[in-house]
Amino acid sequence: MTGRPFLKILLVLLALSLDAGADEPEQPRAKFAWGGYFRNRAQTEIGLTLVSEEGGKATVRLVSGYSAPIATEVMMSPGIPRLVSMPVTPSVEQPIRISGFLPNRRIFEAETAASYPISGRAVAVAVSTEDVGANNVLEALAGTAAVITANSADLPRMAQSYQIIDIVLLGGREFAELDRAQVDALSDYLRDCGRLVFLGEEEIWESLRAEAGCAGAFALRAEHSGQAAELIGELLDHAQPPLPGLQDLRDLSSAPLPVALRTAAVLLFCYFTALTVAGLTSSRPWPLFLLPVAFSALAAALLIGKPPEVRLTGWTETSVGDENARFVALLRVSGVGIWRGKLPAPIKFWLPTMETYPYIQLDIDHPEPHRLALKTDLFSYDELLFRGTIRRFHPPLTLELDHDAVAIANPGGTTQPAGLLAWNGKMFVLPSLRPGERWSAENQAPVAPDSPGAYKLRPYLHQERMAALLIPHASLQWRGAEAPGDAEWLLIKAHL
Amino acid sequence: MISIRFGLLMALLCCGPVLVWTAGQLMSDLTGASANTDETLRIAVESLWLVQACAAALMVTIPRKNDSIEDALGMLAFWLVPLPLLTLVWVGGAADGWILARGLVAALAFSSALLAINRRLGWISHSSTWPWHGVLSLTLVYFVWRFDKIWLSWITH
């Protein structure tokens, strides 16, 4: 009998401990990149810090203004905060809804909004504490750009989040505070010819400059904050070289209309012709009844079970002396069913719009495979536009000046296909080059090219001492057997 | 053969504009970043059924003097002509096969009823049936057109 009160006390204590667990604050903390500054409908990112007393799998689902809902699963260690960065497209009108559950199955739900919309003017971000005098920059750039200040912790962990700003002023001390993901995102931004003024030590600058694309034309180092303001003004006056847009890539693509649509159109045309002829000439009724049934069966036989078609149109640009390359790629999936594949290695996260995809699953813990599952119907297609950079890119051909003419050599071990060269106001056809072979534009007759990519060379035709070579080249390395067949182009620029 | 040819001609007249519109819609869809043709095809099928139902109601205007089997075959030809288009819609995943089958059965039932009414009117008045046929036809067309959402939802849901 003495054990019963003890048991009661034990039960009360157990209930109290469970209750205490229920009140434990386990809501994720949300923090936007760039200190909450955002452009309406442009991608930025949100960092969610999750804490759980239990280890295991946590799920986060995020719905932002103009992008598809995104969900992710992350592994949590007990009591250790876990930072999860997710892409969002905030809008002024709609808040961002965060929901999910922690390993102990506790549900969390919250709404948040990015704080400071920016529009119109160019935006310079001064990432500073003490080294970079934001006030100096602000004064110097008054009227030229809007200057916002941010801490090193506000810098994004995804390269796409840099698209809302025009230039970054970064101090050496702040750079040292960045984590691995932030450094990777900054490197990707630099390789994409992003504008940067660095105010810090020479050693750090060397490593940053090695990452810069466009031969380092948009990444500069300043000695002091006054010079930083001048350099920012200079860089903002220079437009970054544009990559082809969606329509350009469509024009470059050799992809015809979806095969199914053409098949259906031909079938219907043949059917109505046959029906009209039969209706006019036949003296018996049976052909008129047989034709609809026969063409229906033919349509079903031809179109049922057609696997999805995937086509990729890629454009990669690099300069001689540049160790990096930028690319833009258009992936088009058409047909019936679900296409599952792995994206080319340089492609990381992306954020399609809600109209295209109802739901996206990110694998935060294993971003490497870049898996993608696309579902389309028979007469439908979807297009995804990717943009990114390739680190340590080695062009297959070299360009150099030889007796005032461009000489092109193939140092590799494979034959390179024919291409086009723009040099000194003229266009030349470069023949296919075998391994070790060399070709010179000297004494070659210029041509009026009509290939699909030729018009992209026109901007380089009249640039002094600038040679631009365009060749078909698969720069994006597809892993696995799902490599789609279509057009991939490589543009190599050289100041000679 | 006259009824069958007439049914075929009417079906071609109904299908033609719908097909031209559908082709135009699909081509304009293809210029966007994402072509989702389901909606276009669904609208095409519903428009086709509406136009065909109106045409079938208008055909009541014509007094029947042919063999009843030939009339039935003419009606069958009228509704069978768009079958390959419906098959494409089904294969494309824009509509369920059951919905299309239900639509076809409803269309045949509707036409059979019209055919029966047409013949009944012929028996009532042997002198001049045109006014009766005309009034009935216009009434039917009005109801088919006015309540299209309702009867289409019976088929599609």
Side-chain angles (χ1 to χ4, degrees):
Chain A
M1 292 296 282
T2 49
R4 197 168 286 174
F6 176 73
L7 193 66
K8 277 184 182 172
I9 290 165
L10 196 69
L11 282 171
V12 168
L13 282 174
L14 183 67
L16 281 172
S17 71
L18 283 175
D19 193 39
D23 289 340
E24 190 183 324
E26 285 189 332
Q27 288 289 325
R29 289 195 308 277
K31 190 167 186 269
F32 284 90
W34 305 119
Y37 286 94
F38 72 101
R39 278 190 201 274
N40 204 26
R41 303 191 187 197
Q43 186 184 323
T44 179
E45 72 189 54
I46 191 168
L48 300 169
T49 308
L50 305 175
V51 188
S52 173
E53 290 306 312
E54 285 179 32
K57 199 183 283 178
T59 302
V60 182
R61 184 181 159 85
L62 202 138
V63 182
S64 63
Y66 290 96
S67 55
I70 304 171
T72 188
E73 289 181 345
V74 286
M75 290 307 291
M76 304 275 301
S77 301
I80 298 174
R82 174 77 202 264
L83 176 67
V84 180
S85 292
M86 295 177 79
V88 288
T89 312
S91 73
V92 179
E93 303 88 14
Q94 295 173 21
I96 290 163
R97 292 197 299 278
I98 306 160
S99 59
F101 49 83
L102 294 168
N104 57 8
R105 310 302 295 171
R106 185 161 300 160
I107 294 168
F108 58 85
E109 274 182 302
E111 271 194 3
T112 185
S115 313
Y116 313 112
I118 44 180
S119 58
R121 299 162 75 195
V123 173
V125 174
V127 183
S128 68
T129 49
E130 297 159 13
D131 287 3
V132 180
N135 285 334
N136 292 347
V137 177
L138 190 64
E139 282 168 22
L141 291 177
T144 312
V147 180
I148 59 175
T149 55
N151 298 317
S152 53
D154 294 328
L155 256 68
R157 289 169 176 79
M158 293 176 183
Q160 291 93 324
S161 306
Y162 276 91
Q163 64 185 264
I164 69 161
I165 56 111
D166 298 284
I167 191 163
V168 179
L169 172 62
L170 182 66
R173 189 181 300 177
E174 288 69 40
F175 177 77
E177 289 171 3
L178 301 181
D179 62 30
R180 186 70 242 163
Q182 286 175 307
V183 172
D184 284 349
L186 178 65
S187 302
D188 211 5
Y189 165 71
L190 289 175
R191 285 196 293 273
D192 197 21
C193 303
R195 299 186 184 103
L196 171 81
V197 173
F198 182 71
L199 194 55
E201 300 79 16
E202 184 69 31
E203 301 80 54
I204 301 174
W205 170 238
E206 288 303 320
S207 67
L208 275 174
R209 201 172 59 174
E211 297 293 337
C214 293
F218 295 94
L220 301 172
R221 178 172 174 255
E223 298 286 341
H224 50 84
S225 58
Q227 191 191 8
E230 279 173 29
L231 292 178
I232 287 175
E234 277 176 30
L235 284 179
L236 284 175
D237 286 341
H238 289 92
Q240 292 143 306
L243 284 168
L246 179 68
Q247 195 53 50
D248 293 325
L249 289 172
R250 282 190 191 137
D251 293 343
L252 284 169
S253 171
S254 58
L257 286 176
V259 176
L261 202 58
R262 280 184 296 158
T263 310
V266 170
L267 261 176
L268 283 178
F269 176 75
C270 294
Y271 169 62
F272 282 105
T273 309
L275 203 61
T276 309
V277 171
L280 290 172
T281 57
S282 176
S283 57
R284 294 169 185 279
W286 64 265
L288 301 176
F289 294 104
L290 196 63
L291 278 173
V293 178
F295 271 87
S296 298
L298 189 62
L302 285 176
L303 296 171
I304 284 179
K306 263 199 174 307
E309 283 179 56
V310 183
R311 287 181 174 274
L312 179 98
T313 309
W315 180 277
T316 306
E317 275 189 31
T318 190
S319 302
V320 170
D322 199 340
E323 290 192 344
N324 306 306
R326 312 155 72 202
F327 73 84
V328 60
L330 178 68
L331 189 73
R332 174 185 274 214
V333 182
S334 60
V336 65
I338 301 175
W339 179 79
R340 290 178 203 279
K342 294 174 187 170
L343 291 173
I347 295 176
K348 293 176 184 164
F349 294 123
W350 80 102
L351 198 57
T353 56
M354 195 185 284
E355 294 83 31
T356 317
Y357 288 97
Y359 186 71
I360 298 163
Q361 181 80 33
L362 292 183
D363 193 351
I364 296 277
D365 282 336
H366 305 95
E368 273 307 303
H370 314 296
R371 287 178 188 280
L372 185 66
L374 299 171
K375 182 183 178 299
T376 58
D377 292 322
L378 189 63
F379 303 116
S380 304
Y381 70 84
D382 280 318
E383 284 178 334
L384 290 177
L385 188 66
F386 299 102
R387 186 178 165 155
T389 62
I390 305 170
R391 201 164 184 240
R392 308 281 176 261
F393 181 77
H394 302 290
L397 297 174
T398 60
L399 282 80
E400 59 185 21
L401 200 60
D402 184 17
H403 297 97
D404 265 353
V406 179
I408 297 166
N410 178 8
T414 53
T415 301
Q416 293 300 325
L420 282 169
L421 172 75
W423 164 250
N424 222 6
K426 292 172 187 154
M427 200 88 83
F428 301 92
V429 172
L430 170 75
S432 171
L433 293 182
R434 288 188 300 274
E437 197 176 354
R438 185 182 158 92
W439 177 90
S440 172
E442 196 177 9
N443 300 325
Q444 300 287 342
V447 292
D450 54 358
S451 87
Y455 74 98
K456 290 299 298 174
L457 282 182
R458 281 181 204 138
Y460 306 101
L461 263 179
H462 300 289
Q463 286 191 26
E464 205 175 338
R465 315 304 296 172
M466 164 73 93
L469 174 66
L470 185 68
I471 52 170
H473 181 71
S475 307
L476 306 179
Q477 297 300 310
W478 288 76
R479 287 171 293 186
E482 44 300 84
D486 199 2
E488 275 197 66
W489 300 88
L490 170 66
L491 178 71
I492 308 170
K493 293 177 282 184
H495 281 282
L496 301 172
Chain B
M1 275 301 284
I2 292 169
S3 285
I4 298 170
R5 283 212 174 92
F6 183 69
L8 179 71
L9 178 71
M10 289 300 283
L12 288 175
L13 282 175
C14 293
C15 288
V18 175
L19 269 179
V20 169
W21 175 84
T22 310
Q25 287 293 114
L26 289 180
M27 296 313 279
S28 65
D29 267 6
L30 288 172
T31 57
S34 167
N36 196 345
T37 53
D38 284 10
E39 194 59 29
T40 305
L41 291 173
R42 246 195 310 272
I43 293 170
V45 169
E46 290 187 2
S47 308
L48 185 68
W49 278 342
L50 177 62
V51 171
Q52 278 200 294
C54 288
L58 275 175
M59 282 195 278
V60 180
T61 318
I62 305 158
R64 303 283 174 182
K65 294 202 167 46
N66 299 321
D67 179 19
S68 58
I69 293 182
E70 200 185 320
D71 280 345
L73 287 175
M75 178 197 75
L76 194 64
F78 175 71
W79 287 107
L80 270 188
V81 165
L83 192 64
L85 183 66
L86 299 183
T87 308
L88 288 175
V89 169
W90 167 63
V91 173
D96 192 2
W98 282 113
I99 290 175
L100 299 177
R102 230 164 33 216
L104 208 55
V105 169
L108 290 174
F110 176 64
S111 286
S112 303
L114 290 183
L115 216 55
I117 293 167
N118 189 302
R119 292 203 162 267
R120 182 68 63 182
L121 286 175
W123 291 339
I124 292 168
S125 168
H126 290 282
S127 54
S128 174
T129 56
W130 281 98
W132 291 104
H133 285 286
V135 169
L136 177 66
S137 176
L138 288 175
T139 312
L140 279 170
V141 169
Y142 171 77
F143 278 106
V144 164
W145 188 265
R146 177 73 182 76
F147 300 107
D148 63 327
K149 295 279 181 294
I150 296 169
W151 62 262
L152 277 172
S153 70
W154 291 342
I155 297 169
T156 55
H157 290 101

